[in-house]
Amino acid sequence: MANLNIDSVKDRTYDAIVIGSGISGGWSAKELCEKGLKTLVLERGRDVQHVKDYPTTNLYPWEFEHRNELPYSVQQENPIVNRCYAFHEDAAHFFVKDQEHPYVQEKPFDWIRGYQVGGKSLLWARQTQRWSNFDFDGPARDGFAVDWPIRYQDIKPWYDYVERFAGIAGDKDGLPELPDGEFLPGYPLNVVEKYFKQQVEAKYPGRKVISARCAHLSKPNQIHIDQGRVQCQNRTLCQRGCPFGGYFSSNASTLPWAAKTGNMTLRPNSVVHSILYDDKQGKAVGVKVIDKETKEEIDFFAQVIFLNAAALNSNLILLNSTSSRFPNGLGNDSGTLGKYVAFHNYSARISAEYEGLLDYKTDGRNPAGGGYIPRFRNLHKQETDFLRGYAAGFGAYRSASADESGIGADLKNAILQPKYGNWGVGSHMMGETIPKESNYVTLDGQKDAWGMPLLKISVDYDENDAKMKKDYLDTMEEMFTAAGFTNIRRNESSQAPGLDIHEMGGVRMGKDPKTSMLNSWHQLHACPNVYVTDGASMTSTSTQNPSLTYMAFSARAVDHAVNELKKGNL
Amino acid sequence: MNRRSALKQMFIMAGGLMIATSCDFSPKSPSIQLKTISLDKGDEDLLAELVEAILPKTDSPGARELNLHLFVMKMLDDCTSPEDQKTFLAGLKAAEKVKGKPLADQQAYLTGLPADDNFFKILKRRTLQGYKNSEYVMKNKLKYELVPGRYDGAVKMEG
Ligand SMILES: Cc1cc2nc3c(=O)[nH]c(=O)nc-3n(C[C@H](O)[C@H](O)[C@H](O)COP(=O)(O)OP(=O)(O)OC[C@H]3O[C@@H](n4cnc5c(N)ncnc54)[C@H](O)[C@@H]3O)c2cc1C
Ligand code: SF4
């Protein structure tokens, strides 16, 4: 700050600053800009403009040098990100490589990141299930973590709001554990998924199989066309970036919308080092940025700051924002910053075959991926020896394949005339993990190339997760058997936490400033002009995919912030 | 690449493969640039015969015509572990004895290898991968659509 003159300070002053341009930051930016605030969006990665910067999006399989496989050396150099199912030749450029941004694993943790304008919104699988009161009253009911300071009714209108803009395909299923939303038409279950639905719902009261809800424009409304997006074309090549804007990403939706207001300044290549706290004013006044290219230090100023760097990076930035008032990280009076990190348990799958309905096949591709089994365990009362429960994906597929055992002309003919075999069916678990003080992140002594301390991650599964996983496999095996599926294969993976890519917590919400970081509006209890609305704010993790909830939180928090600014409270 | 070498090497996109047709290289060099293994033109010719033995020309092009030997080389070079590269190269050397022999002899040689022979496994896997994902097959035979624009989960099949 010292060597800069007054004018230049003025040039670097905005009404609001958003840190991070991913799913949550894009929403914060859109809302702030629409409400008339001059907003600076700081993004550590490079710029990625919709369509223009999707280099692989229109390539045919044969146009990939290695037919979508990554070179051996790339896989060897990237053991962590290489474990992500979507890390292939077509989308590798949107993932952080292991060497580029190291971190310290006190316990194994596969931290999967996308550092660019748009963040992970370019890569996500677009599953968007709402959370319900079974999730928001979970900690209070089951006695873990702390009580959420909000309930479903607080967030419901904001779910409505973001769903209408983002475009969510889904059916109205009327389930209290998975509330309905403002949906575009859902994608149909296929014939075997429907068959399984009937079997499950007839034999197991309380268990449901529905079409997965996803952020795709199955049938766009005017608001989507106004964004320049058109109907999803069922390519299912989404992780390359979609030239149609068929799925929701910051790049296709919120960021261009924010830019159109004329109020957004997007600054890529800006590594946010810390949030600046002014002792005299008793509030945050701006952020310190290291230019990614020049390594130059620059301070930017604003009245309100939205922290949306994705859960663990938001923890890192707060831990690194020290001052005499906050020697242990900004807002950290409770000492809970970095603690109670939790995630989802995706470590079990099950697959089988179905020998029925062989006179049917599917045609085209389903961007929703198939079916979704909402959580049914311990929902209305505690019925197992583990806490909470799991949701599950379910999908059936049938494709033609050939016997490839031979050689010569016979082999060639077989390949050119593939035959339809049995249906394949599969499911994966999505378990809730319990936030605990012993699952935490801290700062390491080593620094990265931009002078940021490395994040040290100490997060692990526990006995509750092991019991839940066994229950998932046993229960699904029973349901598969009951449905007449054969050749059932249980698949337990020993994967580390993180690979679920749903890391949450560390800056949790709560009613009591002594035991939480954020109030019910996502403001730091001790520094109310800083809002944290990404996964870091989650008090517990639920079983549903979290990103839709980050969107709703961001929109709701901006509304609050702008009202507070008007009242002069920030 | 500077302008000069760009001009010297004319690259043809053949199924994503860069084929250097320049006279930069000695006649013994293979048609594609290799980074981690060394193969000469003779090895390439042998590979071309072997992929053709696996998927020969019938009323449609065989593996050789589709340049699948170059694809196998590319995948061997870039996407294969050093250990597998080693066993593959040893297997290729051993296969030299069928070079120039009739197709049936070459096929008999390949199918006569032990079931777990790594050379044959890699050769066959890559040949098939290249074939199924080749422009020719994907455009004319197992038609691939980049944009289906539809999803029907219950299509009644004929017969
Ligand atoms: C393959 C894959 C599949 C997924 N599937 C789903 C799914 O189906 N459903 C679902 O709900 N979620 C899914 N997710 C998770 C989802 O992508 C994330 O939950 C979501 O993107 C989080 O939003 P965010 O804004 O918190 O973070 P991000 O979208 O990651 O954005 C954070 C941004 O902040 C930037 N940043 C970080 N540190 C700094 C700094 N110091 N300074 C400046 N900028 C910084 C980053 O570069 C990044 O651009 C998936 C993720 C992946 C990778
Ligand atoms: S499935 Fe839809 S969103 Fe995904 S790439 Fe295709 S058109 Fe785009």
Side-chain angles (χ1 to χ4, degrees):
Chain A
M1 251 195 280
N3 55 354
L4 298 160
N5 66 43
I6 308 284
D7 275 353
S8 128
V9 167
K10 218 156 94 201
D11 291 345
R12 287 177 285 114
T13 301
Y14 296 80
D15 298 329
I17 291 176
V18 177
I19 303 170
S21 63
I23 287 187
S24 63
W27 267 99
S28 299
K30 167 188 172 292
E31 296 301 306
L32 288 162
C33 290
E34 270 190 305
K35 291 178 192 292
L37 273 67
K38 292 283 173 204
T39 303
L40 174 67
V41 180
L42 295 167
E43 167 54 55
R44 73 169 302 152
R46 69 195 164 91
D47 196 9
V48 172
Q49 283 177 33
H50 184 49
V51 190
K52 179 174 146 297
D53 294 318
Y54 305 156
T56 57
T57 192
N58 286 322
L59 295 187
Y60 280 90
W62 61 85
E63 291 176 317
F64 287 95
E65 197 177 8
H66 305 103
R67 306 294 189 271
N68 214 19
E69 259 183 58
L70 281 167
Y72 180 79
S73 58
V74 175
Q75 298 193 39
Q76 291 302 301
E77 283 154 19
N78 294 282
I80 298 167
V81 61
N82 192 43
R83 285 193 274 269
C84 175
Y85 70 90
F87 185 67
H88 297 296
E89 203 171 18
D90 64 345
H93 48 283
F94 291 144
F95 283 95
V96 166
K97 312 299 175 296
D98 294 7
Q99 318 288 325
E100 290 169 354
H101 298 285
Y103 58 98
V104 181
Q105 303 182 57
E106 213 161 68
K107 293 172 182 163
F109 186 91
D110 292 336
W111 193 14
I112 309 296
R113 294 159 291 170
Y115 289 173
Q116 62 247 328
V117 167
K120 295 192 290 281
S121 78
L122 288 164
L123 291 167
W124 68 319
R126 311 160 310 278
Q127 298 288 305
T128 43
Q129 334 293 337
R130 284 188 183 199
W131 291 26
S132 77
N133 259 347
F134 291 98
D135 305 305
F136 289 111
D137 70 11
R141 189 193 84 168
D142 290 343
F144 63 93
V146 292
D147 189 12
W148 279 85
I150 58 166
R151 287 296 181 266
Y152 178 67
Q153 281 313 317
D154 299 302
I155 193 70
K156 179 187 181 302
W158 297 98
Y159 274 134
D160 294 345
Y161 179 77
V162 296
E163 282 173 347
R164 279 195 292 265
F165 188 83
I168 307 295
D171 295 330
K172 301 248 185 202
D173 298 296
L175 307 173
E177 66 273 31
L178 201 73
D180 291 334
E182 297 283 316
F183 296 147
L184 307 174
Y187 288 92
L189 293 176
N190 69 36
V191 62
V192 168
E193 289 159 357
K194 260 189 206 144
Y195 162 79
F196 186 60
K197 174 187 174 74
Q198 283 152 7
Q199 294 289 311
V200 167
E201 293 179 4
K203 290 178 184 156
Y204 301 94
R207 300 186 195 172
K208 297 279 182 306
V209 182
I210 64 166
S211 173
R213 299 163 183 177
C214 63
H216 284 259
L217 300 181
S218 52
K219 193 167 173 290
N221 288 330
Q222 190 58 44
I223 183 64
H224 307 119
I225 292 161
D226 293 346
Q227 293 168 43
R229 301 166 59 196
V230 298
Q231 181 164 342
C232 167
Q233 300 294 311
N234 308 55
R235 300 183 345 143
T236 63
L237 302 170
C238 316
Q239 69 284 350
R240 300 178 181 180
C242 177
F244 306 98
Y247 72 100
F248 172 86
S249 68
S250 304
N251 313 62
S253 177
T254 44
L255 292 175
W257 197 263
K260 237 170 35 182
T261 63
N263 290 327
M264 181 174 79
T265 305
L266 174 65
R267 194 176 196 283
N269 299 320
S270 305
V271 182
V272 171
H273 171 275
S274 52
I275 297 175
L276 304 168
Y277 183 81
D278 187 295
D279 279 324
K280 276 196 222 94
Q281 298 181 57
K283 63 179 188 175
V285 291
V287 304
K288 179 179 293 304
V289 161
I290 315 292
D291 188 284
K292 190 174 125 200
E293 244 83 272
T294 65
K295 309 256 163 97
E296 188 193 356
E297 231 179 64
I298 316 162
D299 293 343
F300 293 97
F301 306 96
Q303 286 173 288
V304 59
I305 293 159
F306 271 74
L307 183 50
N308 294 106
L312 297 188
N313 273 316
S314 289
N315 275 280
L316 171 60
I317 290 168
L318 289 178
L319 285 163
N320 202 39
S321 303
T322 51
S323 55
S324 53
R325 165 72 181 83
F326 293 111
N328 302 315
L330 184 65
N332 191 13
D333 288 346
S334 62
T336 61
L337 176 58
K339 297 175 183 168
Y340 300 96
V341 169
F343 54 101
H344 280 159
N345 181 358
Y346 272 64
S347 68
R349 291 191 301 280
I350 187 161
S351 63
E353 285 174 46
Y354 183 50
E355 294 165 40
L357 293 165
L358 295 180
D359 47 344
Y360 283 96
K361 62 173 182 174
T362 64
D363 178 44
R365 297 176 211 141
N366 181 0
Y372 180 90
I373 303 171
R375 171 179 161 208
F376 53 85
R377 275 286 183 245
N378 303 326
L379 199 56
H380 298 284
K381 60 176 198 308
Q382 185 63 35
E383 58 200 17
T384 68
D385 64 346
F386 57 88
L387 279 182
R388 312 304 292 163
Y390 49 82
F394 175 78
Y397 47 91
R398 192 167 187 218
S399 51
S401 61
D403 172 9
E404 296 180 350
S405 58
I407 187 172
D410 291 346
L411 171 62
K412 195 175 156 200
N413 288 337
I415 290 175
L416 292 180
Q417 281 149 35
K419 306 242 176 327
Y420 282 94
N422 292 336
W423 287 85
V425 296
S427 166
H428 63 277
M429 82 176 287
M430 300 178 271
E432 173 166 354
T433 74
I434 305 296
K436 294 173 301 189
E437 194 173 5
S438 54
N439 275 343
Y440 60 85
V441 297
T442 51
L443 301 186
D444 189 76
Q446 307 169 66
K447 296 208 164 149
D448 73 8
W450 300 272
M452 291 286 280
L454 299 191
L455 194 65
K456 185 154 71 188
I457 305 180
S458 188
V459 170
D460 209 348
Y461 287 106
D462 64 16
E463 215 185 297
N464 199 63
D465 302 319
K467 285 180 185 162
M468 186 188 290
K469 177 163 160 174
K470 182 172 182 315
D471 185 75
Y472 163 80
L473 286 167
D474 291 347
T475 306
M476 287 306 295
E477 184 172 355
E478 187 195 313
M479 283 156 63
F480 274 19
T481 307
F485 296 163
T486 55
N487 194 12
I488 298 175
R489 291 175 301 266
R490 295 161 65 116
N491 184 342
E492 247 181 85
S493 124
S494 52
Q495 71 188 46
L499 206 53
D500 46 277
I501 329 182
H502 291 172
E503 60 274 9
M504 289 174 246
V507 194
R508 69 179 179 189
M509 298 170 77
K511 291 172 186 151
D512 184 354
K514 288 202 200 70
T515 57
S516 63
M517 294 287 297
L518 303 171
N519 69 12
S520 63
W521 299 105
H522 293 258
Q523 298 171 282
L524 282 173
H525 288 298
C527 184
N529 70 332
V530 174
Y531 287 74
V532 184
T533 63
D534 59 19
S537 68
M538 307 304 252
T539 308
S540 65
T541 70
S542 156
T543 58
Q544 290 90 297
N545 312 71
S547 307
L548 180 72
T549 304
Y550 307 162
M551 299 189 210
F553 279 168
S554 300
R556 176 174 174 269
V558 168
D559 188 61
H560 182 265
V562 173
N563 288 336
E564 289 295 287
L565 274 176
K566 278 187 197 141
K567 288 186 215 148
N569 289 343
L570 291 182
Chain B
M1 206 190 303
N2 65 34
R3 193 178 134 75
R4 200 178 136 77
S5 60
L7 283 175
K8 271 175 96 180
Q9 294 181 322
M10 190 177 74
F11 289 103
I12 314 168
M13 287 295 283
L17 284 178
M18 306 272 242
I19 303 178
T21 57
S22 85
C23 35
D24 235 22
F25 312 105
S26 77
K28 282 189 152 174
S29 301
S31 326
I32 62 170
Q33 281 180 324
L34 297 171
K35 287 175 249 163
T36 60
I37 51 167
S38 79
L39 287 171
D40 62 21
K41 192 76 176 73
D43 299 322
E44 177 180 325
D45 294 341
L46 173 58
L47 263 178
E49 291 179 26
L50 295 175
V51 297
E52 184 70 11
I54 295 173
L55 297 174
K57 183 174 174 65
T58 52
D59 55 353
S60 65
R64 175 179 209 146
E65 193 180 325
L66 297 175
N67 275 329
L68 294 185
H69 52 298
L70 300 183
F71 175 71
V72 172
M73 276 165 65
K74 182 81 191 163
M75 297 305 277
L76 194 68
D77 193 35
D78 288 350
C79 297
T80 307
S81 70
E83 306 84 73
D84 280 353
Q85 286 176 338
K86 230 169 115 196
T87 51
F88 185 92
L89 293 179
L92 188 65
K93 186 135 233 77
E96 257 172 35
K97 56 171 145 311
V98 293
K99 191 170 183 185
K101 294 262 168 65
L103 198 76
D105 292 358
Q106 294 172 335
Q107 289 174 335
Y109 173 76
L110 290 175
T111 50
L113 291 169
D116 61 348
D117 183 79
N118 217 10
F119 162 70
F120 184 46
K121 272 205 269 188
I122 296 170
L123 176 69
K124 187 171 170 186
R125 180 172 144 236
R126 294 308 190 187
T127 305
L128 264 50
Q129 180 190 23
Y131 185 70
K132 287 189 280 188
N133 288 290
S134 67
E135 180 169 7
Y136 173 79
V137 169
M138 285 200 145
K139 272 193 177 159
N140 304 294
K141 301 286 182 181
L142 310 167
K143 305 222 160 108
Y144 175 82
E145 295 170 289
L146 199 59
V147 180
R150 63 185 186 279
Y151 180 63
D152 186 342
V155 178
K156 189 91 182 158
M157 288 159 68
E158 320 267 292

